[in-house]
Amino acid sequence: MELSKILITLLLLQALVPSHTSLIEAAPKSSNLFREYIGAEFNNVKFTDVPINPNVDFHFILSFAIDYDTSSSPSPTNGKFNIFWDSDNLSPSQVSSIKNQYSNVKVALSLGGDSVQGGYAYFKPSSINSWVSNAVSTLSSIIKQYNLDGIDIDYEHFEADPNTFAECIGQLITTLKRNGVISFASIAPFDDDQVQTHYKALWKKYGNVIDYVNFQFYAYDKGTTVDQFISYFKTQSENYDGGKVLVSFISDGSGGLTPEEGFFTACNRLKSEKQLHGIFVWSADDSKANGFRYEKQSQALLAIPH
């Protein structure tokens, strides 16, 4: 009798615990992931310009594919994506070449971005089903043409409610993964009420298919201190609970915690706490001017065994 009570108690405990254990098991360890956005500013930056440390996992992120037409005053196309990055210098053959040269390199594309031809790039679907259908079709074609590995979601302006955004993007990622078109997906939110409302709705419903959170820490005020940065990191790790929240800097120094002001101090502190899940940079286009010095430093830090 006592034994059966113990078994029932154990079964009840097991039934209560899974949601927590699954999060604990999935809790990310420190990693050597380095990611860099490239191609948005058309200043002739090439993959081969960027130093690549063989001891990191390196992701280039082409910026951007946008569901707008390519006219001189572009308008939304309800999920029919076009290429808006510097495809002359970042072409399918150049993707294949850099991936052949470095076995640790993968290449993704980012969706949306802040602007298109000088105006905001809005997320503006006509309906969930039609947007997802168009997006799956057009993105599958671009991803195969360019031999890409993943996608990043960087919409920053919305003409749709958070649930519509969550369903469109969540279904898109799920379908592309299920079809074997991509092997990873990331999101790129920043600390803005409207942005966070949309991305947190997406995370809540579809966090299980999102591999990385490219949180734009450089969108915080210029002059951010190391302690503030660590505090922001912990807040966003709670917002995207169970996710691999990557730290970041902007290479023109216009916001957030810069390398000159202690970014790498913060990284080392997080690394010592086993919370450094990777570093990403916006962007290669701007880093070209300083010889990619901070890309080298970031990768050297990530490559040190932990």
Side-chain angles (χ1 to χ4, degrees), residues 22-288:
S22 59
L23 279 178
I24 292 164
E25 283 161 14
K29 303 283 189 289
S30 288
S31 81
N32 63 345
L33 177 62
F34 179 81
R35 316 186 86 204
E36 178 131 45
Y37 290 88
I38 188 167
E41 293 169 27
F42 289 81
N43 64 355
N44 299 318
V45 68
K46 298 179 174 68
F47 297 124
T48 49
D49 293 335
V50 184
I52 296 167
N53 185 316
N55 300 312
V56 300
D57 288 329
F58 194 113
H59 292 180
F60 282 110
I61 306 174
L62 294 164
S63 314
F64 291 94
I66 315 175
D67 54 333
Y68 270 65
D69 63 44
T70 54
S71 67
S72 55
S73 68
S75 54
T77 53
N78 189 39
K80 292 178 181 171
F81 280 86
N82 286 300
I83 290 166
F84 284 86
W85 68 78
D86 181 2
S87 55
D88 288 346
N89 287 293
L90 305 164
S91 66
S93 63
Q94 283 152 323
V95 170
S96 295
S97 176
I98 200 74
K99 285 172 72 172
N100 288 335
Q101 195 178 342
Y102 294 95
S103 61
N104 59 319
V105 167
K106 291 186 167 66
V107 186
L109 60 76
S110 187
L111 310 185
D114 174 56
S115 62
V116 55
Q117 302 285 54
Y120 286 148
Y122 285 97
F123 178 75
K124 191 178 180 179
S126 303
S127 71
I128 293 169
N129 288 347
S130 63
W131 189 92
V132 171
S133 175
N134 288 336
V136 167
S137 170
T138 54
L139 287 171
S140 295
S141 173
I142 294 169
I143 289 163
K144 285 168 181 167
Q145 180 194 355
Y146 275 79
N147 186 25
L148 304 179
D149 304 284
I151 64 170
D152 174 65
I153 311 300
D154 187 24
Y155 282 103
E156 304 188 358
H157 308 283
F158 306 90
E159 288 190 10
D161 63 87
N163 181 62
T164 301
F165 178 70
E167 285 303 328
C168 285
I169 301 300
Q171 289 181 34
L172 170 66
I173 294 170
T174 303
T175 306
L176 291 178
K177 281 192 166 185
R178 192 175 58 226
N179 293 350
V181 177
I182 59 169
S183 56
F184 59 83
S186 57
I187 56 174
F190 57 94
D191 192 34
D192 168 90
D193 286 348
Q194 191 190 32
V195 168
Q196 290 277 61
T197 304
H198 283 75
Y199 281 91
K200 281 158 80 174
L202 171 61
W203 184 259
K204 188 175 179 185
K205 290 189 90 165
Y206 289 97
N208 61 316
V209 296
I210 296 164
D211 301 278
Y212 314 108
V213 180
N214 279 16
F215 199 85
Q216 298 183 46
F217 287 100
Y218 45 82
Y220 287 106
D221 290 343
K222 187 178 163 92
T224 295
T225 66
V226 171
D227 285 342
Q228 284 173 324
F229 186 90
I230 299 284
S231 169
Y232 295 152
F233 175 81
K234 297 201 165 156
T235 299
Q236 301 311 331
S237 297
E238 287 168 13
N239 282 334
Y240 300 94
D241 188 25
K244 293 180 181 174
V245 177
L246 275 56
V247 298
S248 56
F249 66 87
I250 187 166
S251 39
D252 69 3
S254 60
L257 176 61
T258 62
E260 297 92 336
E261 298 298 323
F263 175 79
F264 293 113
T265 304
C267 287
N268 278 311
R269 196 188 297 180
L270 290 172
K271 187 165 178 139
S272 71
E273 296 171 7
K274 302 263 188 288
Q275 291 189 69
L276 185 64
H277 311 309
I279 297 170
F280 78 90
V281 182
W282 178 273
S283 66
D285 306 54
D286 290 317
S287 295
K288 194 177 172 186

